[in-house]
Amino acid sequence: MDLLTIVYLIYTFVSIYFLAFYTILFLGHRERMLESPKVTKEYSLSMVISCYNEEKSIRKVVESLLKSEYPIKKIIIVDDCSTDGSWKLIQEYAKRYDKILAVQTPKNTGNAAGAKNYGAKFVNTELIGFTDADSYPDENSINNMIGHFDDSKVGAVTSLVLAENKEKFLEKVQAIEYKMIVFTRRLLSFVDGVHVTPGPLAIYRKSAFDKVGGFDRKNLTEDIEITWHLVKEGYVVRMSSTARVFTIVPNKIKVWFNQRIRWNIGGIQTILKYKRYFGTNKVGMLGMFILPFFIFNWLLGLFGIFVLAYRVGRTIFIRYISTALSIQSQAAIITFGDINMTPSILVFFGIATIIMNLFLIGLALAYAREEGKKDHILNIVFYMFFYLLAYPIILIVSFFKFLTGKTSWGTK
Amino acid sequence: MVRLGNPKNVFWEAFLIAVIVFVFGLFMGLAIENSRIQDVNEYYENSEISLVDVLALNNVASLGDTSCDVLISSSLAFADRIFIESKELDDIDGANKISGNIEMIHRKYDLLRTLLWISSTKTLEQCGEEFSVVVYLYHRKDASVNERATQNVWSKILQNLKEKKGSKIVLIPISVDSELSSLDAMLSRYNVESYPSVIINGHVLTEVASVEDLEMYLDKDPVLGDILRLN
């Protein structure tokens, strides 16, 4: 058996493992997938919106929170020294509504964590929630999250983040990606494996938030870091599958790419910060699952892309030389005989894995379906076979940028 | 789904299922590969009989009782047969990933082809210009990227040549990494040192040539002298 075959078989095994893992979780908890605990106690809640140059979307975000079914005591809108008309809009809202407090950072903090922490200073409620200035929670979203806090171990509750804009191709593919993410995150929540409380909508127990010192300003993904920190401190992080929030996703490749670079660099920073807990059971699921899961996924992606690049590169090189020689000797460039019609076991395994993946994607799309909106099969195919390939490439660029110190806040 | 109590047992349950599915898949794969190998073995046994028949016919011819037509047609038929089988063998070789049994079959086929090469050369000696022998020598294993690309082109050109010339040529592809002493002797006889190479009626070609160029070698005087040096 050659080395490449062994590599392919290892990848096949890992794929089967994760597919089995998610399938078992789904089958074992399918009745709880869309379940949220009822509100039995009215916790006081403040919501913080951090805003930097979001004059186009901030109005809709504030309106969404004002319509919330859950009584929000205070809405604190933090302007991070915007250069557009955001601050003016925020002040107008503060004048119109008593529960809205408009605050501005003394100078631009340069990242979301800075503005969020600044806003948190004005909060004195039992719970503190955050939403991005380009994300719109449903009216009942917060209501569906609150019940989780009846469990005193719960330090944070996250929501189901979906794409708001789905017009362009890139947006449509991201919409599928977001559905896959929320589906798998929901499944991971059954084993206390939630590893991020995304910026679009998350609520924290204020005492827990204070205990971990708020968001880490040095980290580019403060929402990942705070989640790991909470888990490290012994808190449980839950996900409410019925708390939907719609966020604006990038519609330009460059913006999307920069966003993903930031996510990955933040991930690297977080791993390095918590690496000493790898494999230890002192910090619960952080050491035993979240950290290994994160690192293992990355290693698999990186190694896989190198193997793929080697295979594709070699094939292209051989094809290039063959074509040049074929032209020179007036031979056919491609013949039917070039195609091997005898499938190998790897082909069978590959087909089986694709079918299982399609099954999982089907479940995810059904789980996060939106009324009257369907995902086109071609977008699903593109997501599965091409879009996911970008992950390890982005990771390589992120590592490079991280190592060369080019770690700045690019976009949201 | 059987639950083992603790929800975190899902990690082990998934592992168990993955092992079962994976091992089942491996066994299925092995079964398919072995059935393919069995088919090839059957082909080989039939080819072996055909070759012995050709060799026997050559011996009969040396007694003067057999015409060149019969000798040539039997060599051609056998060459065509193992040419097709070699393509199937290559396909199976590319597809057989977990069982290593194919290596021995490759060696056996290479031996058959070498015997055919020797036998065809003798027939050529006896029957003159009636047909040509084209031997294609290549690396099956450990070929560099350049070699692999050149081999791809050579095999297409030779296939075109065979389609064009049909019963006028005996085309024998032989991989040179089977470590056969008879093959090594033939290679040193023709001073073949680099691969891929093509030997047409005794001429060793190492550079890729067009079908038209190769036809020139075939249409020339059969250059028996070059080949007959074997004897």
Side-chain angles (χ1 to χ4, degrees):
Chain A
M1 211 185 297
D2 61 48
L3 186 65
L4 270 179
T5 303
I6 294 169
V7 170
Y8 287 144
L9 288 176
I10 291 171
Y11 270 76
T12 304
F13 180 80
V14 172
S15 300
I16 296 170
Y17 175 79
F18 278 111
L19 287 166
F21 177 71
Y22 286 128
T23 307
I24 295 170
L25 279 176
F26 176 76
L27 293 176
H29 300 274
R30 63 188 179 281
E31 281 152 16
R32 291 176 56 202
M33 284 295 284
L34 293 170
E35 202 178 74
S36 281
K38 285 181 183 165
V39 179
T40 55
K41 182 187 166 191
E42 195 172 292
Y43 297 89
S44 59
L45 166 73
S46 298
M47 290 298 297
V48 176
I49 309 168
S50 60
C51 171
Y52 179 70
N53 289 348
E54 301 279 9
E55 65 177 355
K56 288 180 186 165
S57 56
I58 187 72
R59 198 189 303 265
K60 194 174 170 185
V61 180
V62 179
E63 294 292 343
S64 300
L65 289 182
L66 287 171
K67 284 181 198 164
S68 171
E69 287 173 5
Y70 191 81
I72 301 169
K73 190 176 174 188
K74 207 84 182 168
I75 298 172
I76 297 140
I77 313 173
V78 186
D79 177 57
D80 202 6
C81 299
S82 299
T83 52
D84 65 354
S86 299
W87 178 231
K88 196 181 164 194
L89 270 171
I90 294 166
Q91 284 178 305
E92 280 171 17
Y93 267 106
K95 278 178 197 164
R96 278 168 54 198
Y97 297 94
D98 287 342
K99 67 157 78 172
I100 295 180
L101 175 66
V103 293
Q104 194 173 40
T105 53
K107 61 174 186 176
N108 179 260
T109 62
N111 56 48
K116 286 176 175 180
N117 283 344
Y118 188 78
K121 289 178 186 173
F122 300 90
V123 173
N124 56 4
T125 48
E126 292 167 278
L127 304 177
I128 178 171
F130 293 90
T131 183
D132 286 340
D134 59 357
S135 305
Y136 318 120
D138 275 350
E139 290 171 21
N140 61 353
S141 292
I142 294 172
N143 225 23
N144 292 337
M145 297 165 81
I146 295 296
H148 287 285
F149 286 99
D150 288 351
D151 181 347
S152 60
K153 287 186 291 182
V154 172
V157 179
T158 178
S159 57
L160 196 143
V161 186
L162 296 170
E164 164 75 9
N165 44 328
K166 294 178 276 285
E167 301 302 319
K168 295 182 179 174
F169 179 67
L170 181 62
E171 296 167 350
K172 287 176 183 169
V173 180
Q174 284 177 92
I176 295 168
E177 178 191 28
Y178 276 54
K179 286 176 185 173
M180 276 305 290
I181 291 171
V182 294
F183 178 67
T184 50
R185 190 173 295 150
R186 175 62 180 149
L187 292 175
L188 291 177
S189 73
F190 294 119
V191 287
D192 295 337
V194 176
H195 62 271
V196 59
T197 45
L201 180 61
I203 300 175
Y204 304 84
R205 198 182 291 278
K206 183 64 167 51
S207 55
F209 182 82
D210 290 339
K211 189 174 179 183
V212 298
F215 294 105
D216 182 354
R217 284 192 58 182
K218 290 178 193 162
N219 195 296
L220 291 189
T221 48
E222 77 290 343
D223 47 5
I224 297 179
E225 194 283 332
I226 196 173
T227 310
W228 291 28
H229 202 161
L230 286 167
V231 176
K232 188 200 131 214
E233 294 298 332
Y235 290 103
V236 171
V237 178
R238 292 268 166 80
M239 177 183 172
S240 170
S241 52
T242 49
R244 293 184 175 219
V245 57
F246 293 85
T247 190
I248 297 171
V249 297
N251 57 15
K252 290 189 173 73
I253 293 280
K254 195 181 169 190
V255 180
W256 169 82
F257 191 75
N258 285 338
Q259 181 198 51
R260 300 313 167 103
I261 294 285
R262 182 176 70 75
W263 288 2
N264 278 293
I265 292 175
I268 297 167
Q269 290 173 324
T270 315
I271 284 174
L272 291 177
K273 187 172 178 180
Y274 294 94
K275 64 179 186 297
R276 66 181 177 277
Y277 301 110
F278 184 93
T280 63
N281 57 8
K282 291 177 195 164
V283 287
M285 291 304 274
L286 176 64
M288 297 303 287
F289 178 68
I290 297 175
L291 253 168
F293 180 76
F294 227 80
I295 293 170
F296 189 59
N297 264 319
W298 277 11
L299 289 178
L300 273 182
L302 283 177
F303 188 65
I305 204 73
F306 281 123
V307 172
L308 187 70
Y310 167 75
R311 291 285 290 176
V312 171
R314 192 172 189 273
T315 306
I316 290 173
F317 193 55
I318 289 176
R319 193 55 74 186
Y320 171 75
I321 300 172
S322 297
T323 305
L325 284 171
S326 297
I327 292 168
Q328 187 190 317
S329 56
Q330 296 156 18
I333 293 169
I334 297 172
T335 62
F336 188 68
D338 291 341
I339 307 162
N340 187 347
M341 301 298 280
T342 314
S344 73
I345 179 181
L346 301 178
V347 173
F348 292 125
F349 266 135
I351 292 169
T353 311
I354 288 170
I355 291 169
M356 286 190 281
N357 263 312
L358 278 172
F359 167 73
L360 202 69
I361 290 175
L363 285 179
L365 298 184
Y367 164 74
R369 70 180 173 277
E370 294 169 66
E371 220 42 59
K373 289 174 186 170
K374 279 185 180 173
D375 295 288
H376 199 282
I377 185 73
L378 287 178
N379 296 335
I380 298 169
V381 170
F382 183 85
Y383 165 76
M384 211 172 147
F385 293 102
F386 300 101
Y387 186 85
L388 291 178
L389 280 181
Y391 280 20
I393 296 166
I394 291 168
L395 190 58
I396 293 167
V397 178
S398 305
F399 269 115
F400 177 76
K401 290 201 172 210
F402 177 76
L403 293 172
T404 52
K406 292 174 184 169
T407 52
S408 64
W409 188 275
T411 177
K412 58 177 258 184
Chain B
M1 179 64 50
V2 179
R3 310 294 314 164
L4 301 177
N6 186 343
K8 284 167 192 168
N9 282 334
V10 66
F11 295 104
W12 295 110
E13 290 172 11
F15 183 75
L16 197 66
I17 289 175
V19 168
I20 291 168
V21 172
F22 188 71
V23 170
F24 177 74
L26 275 185
F27 272 110
M28 288 292 286
L30 265 175
I32 293 169
E33 289 188 1
N34 284 332
S35 111
R36 286 173 183 160
I37 289 169
Q38 208 173 330
D39 289 346
V40 175
N41 270 325
E42 280 174 27
Y43 290 150
Y44 174 78
E45 280 169 21
N46 288 327
S47 294
E48 201 174 26
I49 293 166
S50 300
L51 179 74
V52 175
D53 192 32
V54 171
L55 294 176
L57 200 60
N58 267 304
N59 286 336
V60 175
S62 66
L63 300 173
D65 294 340
T66 307
S67 73
C68 274
D69 286 347
V70 176
L71 271 179
I72 293 168
S73 65
S74 65
S75 290
L76 273 168
F78 180 65
D80 290 349
R81 177 185 180 149
I82 59 167
F83 180 71
I84 293 164
E85 285 173 14
S86 75
K87 283 179 73 183
E88 283 185 30
L89 189 60
D90 281 345
D91 278 356
I92 289 171
D93 193 25
N96 270 28
K97 297 288 180 188
I98 42 181
S99 55
N101 305 342
I102 204 97
E103 189 56 37
M104 192 53 74
I105 303 172
H106 270 299
R107 289 193 73 201
K108 290 192 318 191
Y109 261 102
D110 284 332
L111 184 60
L112 277 193
R113 292 180 199 124
T114 307
L115 282 169
L116 177 66
W117 184 11
I118 298 165
S119 150
S120 301
T121 308
K122 282 182 180 170
T123 307
L124 194 62
E125 178 195 349
Q126 284 178 354
C127 304
E129 298 181 32
E130 301 280 336
F131 75 112
S132 296
V133 179
V134 179
V135 182
Y136 172 42
L137 302 158
Y138 65 98
H139 273 304
R140 185 168 46 78
K141 299 183 288 187
D142 307 324
S144 67
V145 170
N146 264 322
E147 276 181 343
R148 189 78 65 197
T150 314
Q151 286 176 186
N152 284 349
V153 180
W154 260 129
S155 56
K156 276 185 260 184
I157 292 168
L158 292 174
Q159 203 166 338
N160 282 350
L161 185 72
K162 176 69 186 164
E163 280 163 14
K164 210 168 176 182
K165 290 289 173 185
S167 59
K168 291 284 178 191
I169 62 168
V170 170
L171 176 58
I172 313 169
I174 306 174
S175 93
V176 291
D177 30 22
S178 284
E179 294 172 6
L180 301 168
S181 49
S182 54
L183 177 61
D184 290 344
M186 289 294 276
L187 296 177
S188 58
R189 178 62 68 114
Y190 285 101
N191 290 322
V192 184
E193 284 166 354
S194 66
Y195 305 100
S197 290
V198 172
I199 303 176
I200 302 181
N201 292 343
H203 288 279
V204 180
L205 306 175
T206 50
E207 298 293 320
V208 174
S210 66
V211 173
E212 285 70 28
D213 289 340
L214 297 181
E215 278 182 302
M216 282 165 54
Y217 284 97
L218 297 174
D219 294 340
K220 270 184 183 175
D221 188 68
V223 207
L224 275 172
D226 288 339
I227 296 156
L228 297 182
R229 277 182 303 165
L230 278 168
N231 299 307

